[in-house]
Amino acid sequence: MDSNRNDSPNGRNPGGPKKPKGNLWVTLLFSVAIMLLFSGIYNTIVDSQYTETTFSDFLKEEKAGNLSEVELKYDRIVYLTKTEAAKEPAQQKACYTGLPTGGDTMAMAERLAAQGVKVKEEIVEDNSFITMILSYVMMFGIAFLFMSLITRRMGGEGMMGGISKNKAKVYMEKKTGVTFQDVAGQDEAKESLQEIIDFLHNPLKYTEIGAKLPKGALLVGPPGTGKTLIAKAVAGEAGVPFFSISGSDFVEMFVGLGASRVRDLFKEAAKVAPCIIFIDEIDAVGGARDNRFGSNSEHDQTLNSLLGEIDGFDSTKGIVVLAATNRPETLDKALLRPGRFDRRIIMDTPNFQGRLDTLKVHTRKIRLAEDVDLKKIAQTASGAVGADLANLVNEAALRAVRKGRKLVTQEDLLTAFETVMMGSEKKNSVRTETERRMTAYHEVGHALVAALEKNAMPVSKITIIPRTGGSLGATMYIPDEEKNLYTREDLIAKIHALLGGRAAEEVVFGTMTTGASNDLQRATGLARDMIARYGMSKELGLLSPTVVTNQYLDGQSSLDCSQEIAATVDKAARSLLESCYEENKKLLSENRGLLDEISEYLLTKETITGEELMAYVNAAKHPSEEA
Ligand code: ADP
Ligand code: ZN
């Protein structure tokens, strides 16, 4: 859901790239190269029309009286023998040979003419030399024009821009106009950054005492949690310019360019200090130097030059480097040494309060209807990061406009949430009645298992409207509280709910569908974590061989253990899933009437709420009360 979040994939900012001066030289160089190439090609073509011979060959022909026509050029003799002249004009092939140095062409011309050979003498030698020079100049001119046209076309960013020293991707804002008020939540981060702001305001206060401030801080967190935003806010709060560049911009095809780019960036920044330099995706350049495939000298050079610049700049001037990453564990240790990025500021996925504040920030300029309850939205949107919420609010506003309304309603916000998280509804997709039925039972299977279990999260909504994201239906839950700690029972309840769909398929239709693949994947992940990470199984006991490799990106993990242990984990996970699945089938068979009832209802309504579901469940639990 967040693959497209980084506004521009290669960090190219639309904010007006400057055309670098280096371009002119490169264009010139290329023009000369093209000119030489063309004149070479031209000469080859011309030469191929003639047979090359030696001067003594020529003299032999002359002695034999076999010469028909001779042309004396400034650098060569072109001649046609009588044998060739006798042929059809199209098949005649003239010969050429070089002029002997110091040879007197005038005398030769007279001698040949006396023998009755047709002699043509080219207009004076130095004149042809001028012609040659002129033709080269002309070719150069054309090549130059051509090259500058191409560079212009590419907006100075293409081939030429890449080869020359290019500063275009550095993006500078004199005033970011962003303050801490625009950043919701993230209070710890703000607090850590407060000192940096104060330092930028008044460097003297610190240097007088002799205190050294950190030159840089590392912003660590998942994508979309506002790392760029908070860096801008620091610049905004301190009222200093903001330089930004993405780490991936440093890493170029051409060796040495990244390093020169780093130097340029710091040079520019020093001119306007105090200021903030923000390096997004620093892991692209700051990745550890040894764990790469082969040696990567460009990467190393860039990193070394970055380290050099950070060490080199005078921190009393007030340059602070903020760098963002979601993979801090991959960074080269040298970057994290004292005096470099030794401060780590965590930007976490927001909790309920954080989400609510983010929604408030982004709805400040939106006209909201009376019925809007941001708390409810914040509750539903558990797991969403700042960027998702900003996107959600905007989608809701767009929807209101589409519907011709002046205010954004709660329904707009809820629908937008689903669109952002799952893709939009597929209105006219064709589904057979069997497919719809199976989907309905599958979803109700999930929901019913969850509803009948005491540790499960309450269901908020069930739908069988297909989404562009590829889902045929969905069951959504409200996490009733922000949990930081899960018990074994909680996790088992989750596995139950995840396997409820497949269980319903088997209980009702006696078959299995492909619709459960995502459920199974997630259930398997959970089961493996319970066993190999949380120490919740008999088979492995407290052994926890799981290593989380990518905490801030997608929580990827791997097993660090012997093959036997890995096999044990697989076996234990399988038996855990199987027992959960059997329990599900039993539960659904026992409640078959309820399953049918709710599924029929869902088929007619397509979307039902958690309350509607619970009304059915409660009615079945306490039949006497209903009567
Ligand atoms: P990151 O750099 O961490 O990937 P960004 O700073 O680019 O994330 O966030 C993208 C957008 O998401 C921001 O421009 C902002 O609109 C919104 N956003 C993210 N976090 C917050 C937050 N804490 N408060 C307000 N808006 C936020
Ligand atoms: Zn499912």
Side-chain angles (χ1 to χ4, degrees):
M1 67 184 194
D2 42 35
S3 55
N4 287 334
R5 185 156 307 119
N6 282 337
D7 324 322
S8 49
N10 45 17
R12 241 169 234 176
N13 286 298
K18 275 187 288 174
K19 205 181 163 198
K21 271 190 212 144
N23 261 356
L24 186 67
W25 286 110
V26 179
T27 312
L28 273 171
L29 219 87
F30 264 81
S31 308
V32 171
I34 288 191
M35 178 191 77
L36 289 178
L37 186 75
F38 271 110
S39 65
I41 292 175
Y42 174 76
N43 282 340
T44 323
I45 291 176
V46 169
D47 289 354
S48 69
Q49 294 172 352
Y50 302 102
T51 317
E52 188 178 358
T53 58
T54 60
F55 191 63
S56 58
D57 284 336
F58 171 74
L59 288 179
K60 247 186 245 157
E61 299 285 2
E62 186 190 346
K63 253 191 209 140
N66 196 20
L67 288 175
S68 162
E69 283 175 39
V70 172
E71 199 176 338
L72 295 169
K73 296 203 171 205
Y74 70 93
D75 64 337
R76 58 177 71 180
I77 306 167
V78 179
Y79 62 94
L80 194 66
T81 54
K82 284 191 176 144
T83 343
E84 288 290 320
K87 291 184 184 167
E88 296 264 306
Q91 281 164 10
Q92 292 174 359
K93 197 158 186 194
C95 302
Y96 79 87
T97 178
L99 270 178
T101 29
D104 186 352
T105 46
M106 294 284 272
M108 193 194 287
E110 273 167 29
R111 193 178 75 218
L112 290 168
Q115 292 170 28
V117 180
K118 234 199 263 171
V119 180
K120 263 201 276 175
E121 208 172 339
E122 209 179 44
I123 344 144
V124 208
E125 286 92 280
D126 24 60
N127 204 351
S128 13
F129 186 70
I130 290 172
T131 326
M132 182 187 75
I133 296 277
L134 272 178
S135 74
Y136 273 95
V137 167
M138 233 164 75
M139 247 191 286
F140 174 79
I142 291 172
F144 184 77
L145 260 172
F146 178 70
M147 284 315 295
S148 18
L149 213 80
I150 289 189
T151 4
R152 188 85 33 91
R153 269 278 166 78
M154 295 183 178
E157 277 256 349
M159 180 168 66
M160 298 296 108
I163 295 171
S164 67
K165 262 192 344 179
N166 187 349
K167 295 176 208 157
K169 287 170 190 163
V170 179
Y171 176 52
M172 204 265 264
E173 279 178 73
K174 277 240 166 62
K175 284 207 173 73
T176 60
V178 180
T179 67
F180 273 170
Q181 284 193 344
D182 300 304
V183 186
Q186 311 291 5
D187 293 330
E188 292 86 4
K190 285 182 192 169
E191 211 178 292
S192 322
L193 290 167
Q194 196 61 51
E195 204 177 30
I196 289 181
I197 294 169
D198 195 46
F199 168 65
L200 289 171
H201 263 310
N202 191 358
L204 258 186
K205 188 167 103 190
Y206 290 84
T207 47
E208 265 173 5
I209 291 194
K212 269 206 198 102
L213 253 110
K215 290 175 170 181
L218 201 60
L219 300 165
V220 177
T225 45
K227 297 184 290 295
T228 314
L229 188 71
I230 208 166
K232 279 190 183 176
V234 170
E237 290 281 335
V240 300
F242 178 77
F243 285 85
S244 83
I245 190 163
S246 172
S248 53
D249 288 343
F250 286 135
V251 184
E252 286 287 333
M253 279 196 314
F254 300 99
V255 174
L257 248 195
S260 88
R261 234 169 240 181
V262 172
R263 284 193 294 276
D264 286 345
L265 173 64
F266 279 83
K267 217 192 279 165
E268 291 294 312
K271 283 185 203 153
V272 295
C275 66
I276 296 273
I277 296 177
F278 177 66
I279 305 175
D280 205 358
E281 303 174 55
I282 188 153
D283 37 285
V285 14
R289 275 169 288 192
D290 42 26
N291 64 6
R292 311 221 134 209
F293 20 90
S295 81
N296 184 338
S297 63
E298 164 63 354
H299 170 268
D300 293 359
Q301 270 190 30
T302 310
L303 178 55
N304 287 335
S305 121
L306 183 63
L307 293 172
E309 290 296 334
I310 290 174
D311 289 342
F313 75 73
D314 181 2
S315 64
T316 54
K317 288 238 179 69
I319 298 180
V320 172
V321 188
L322 296 177
T325 180
N326 40 38
R327 297 160 62 202
E329 67 284 343
T330 64
L331 291 181
D332 198 287
K333 292 287 168 288
L335 266 176
L336 308 173
R337 273 217 290 273
R340 292 170 182 164
F341 294 104
D342 52 358
R343 285 199 181 188
R344 192 177 279 214
I345 293 165
I346 308 285
M347 301 287 289
D348 240 335
T349 312
N351 57 14
F352 168 74
Q353 193 58 44
R355 294 198 298 272
L356 183 59
D357 291 343
T358 312
L359 284 171
K360 280 184 185 154
V361 165
H362 286 280
T363 48
R364 272 195 308 224
K365 288 189 187 133
I366 304 266
R367 286 213 216 126
L368 297 176
E370 288 280 296
D371 72 333
V372 168
D373 179 3
L374 291 181
K375 272 196 187 134
K376 184 96 190 288
I377 307 284
Q379 205 173 43
T380 317
S382 124
V385 293
D388 297 326
L389 296 169
N391 194 359
L392 181 165
V393 170
N394 194 47
E395 281 291 327
L398 291 176
R399 183 173 188 268
V401 173
R402 267 201 305 274
K403 302 255 161 177
R405 272 190 262 104
K406 291 258 183 273
L407 300 172
V408 173
T409 63
Q410 180 78 349
E411 200 208 334
D412 290 331
L413 287 164
L414 281 171
T415 315
F417 166 70
E418 281 161 25
T419 310
V420 169
M421 295 316 241
M422 285 179 294
S424 51
E425 293 181 357
K426 262 198 241 170
K427 283 278 156 44
N428 42 11
S429 76
V430 186
R431 275 198 294 178
T432 63
E433 193 48 37
T434 331
E435 259 177 31
R436 279 188 80 232
R437 285 194 84 76
M438 282 189 164
T439 310
Y441 271 96
H442 176 104
E443 295 308 333
V444 174
H446 285 302
L448 195 56
V449 168
L452 293 171
E453 187 141 13
K454 85 171 185 296
N455 289 296
M457 299 186 292
V459 173
S460 70
K461 190 171 166 179
I462 315 168
T463 171
I464 51 165
I465 299 172
R467 299 268 166 181
T468 47
S471 75
L472 296 173
T475 306
M476 287 163 249
Y477 306 89
I478 316 171
D480 46 355
E481 64 197 286
E482 292 263 328
K483 274 202 180 184
N484 294 309
L485 213 53
Y486 290 91
T487 61
R488 183 170 191 277
E489 288 68 35
D490 291 334
L491 298 181
I492 294 278
K494 276 192 183 197
I495 295 183
H496 273 147
L498 282 168
L499 295 178
R502 165 56 65 86
E505 288 170 13
E506 206 184 325
V507 166
V508 178
F509 301 99
T511 182
M512 298 169 190
T513 73
T514 52
S517 70
N518 183 259
D519 301 336
L520 299 181
Q521 215 176 329
R522 283 162 59 196
T524 307
L526 259 177
R528 294 177 69 92
D529 274 352
M530 283 178 69
I531 293 153
R533 190 169 168 193
Y534 306 131
M536 292 179 178
S537 73
K538 291 192 300 292
E539 291 88 342
L540 230 60
L542 298 179
L543 196 67
S544 173
T546 303
V547 188
V548 178
T549 43
N550 207 334
Q551 187 187 353
Y552 296 99
L553 207 53
D554 44 16
Q556 266 175 8
S557 60
S558 59
L559 286 182
D560 181 14
C561 60
S562 67
Q563 291 207 339
E564 290 105 86
I565 297 282
T568 313
V569 172
D570 290 338
K571 231 168 98 193
R574 189 167 166 189
S575 89
L576 177 61
L577 290 173
E578 252 155 36
S579 80
C580 285
Y581 186 64
E582 289 306 319
E583 282 156 21
N584 272 352
K585 280 202 294 194
K586 187 159 165 278
L587 189 74
L588 289 178
S589 304
E590 284 168 7
N591 291 280
R592 178 64 199 267
L594 199 51
L595 179 61
D596 288 336
E597 242 183 298
I598 304 172
S599 301
E600 288 306 327
Y601 184 60
L602 179 59
L603 275 167
T604 50
K605 296 246 335 208
E606 295 214 309
T607 299
I608 63 177
T609 64
E611 286 90 51
E612 287 172 292
L613 170 79
M614 288 320 286
Y616 274 101
V617 173
N618 289 332
K621 263 192 202 157
H622 316 283
S624 51
E625 278 172 33
E626 201 190 22

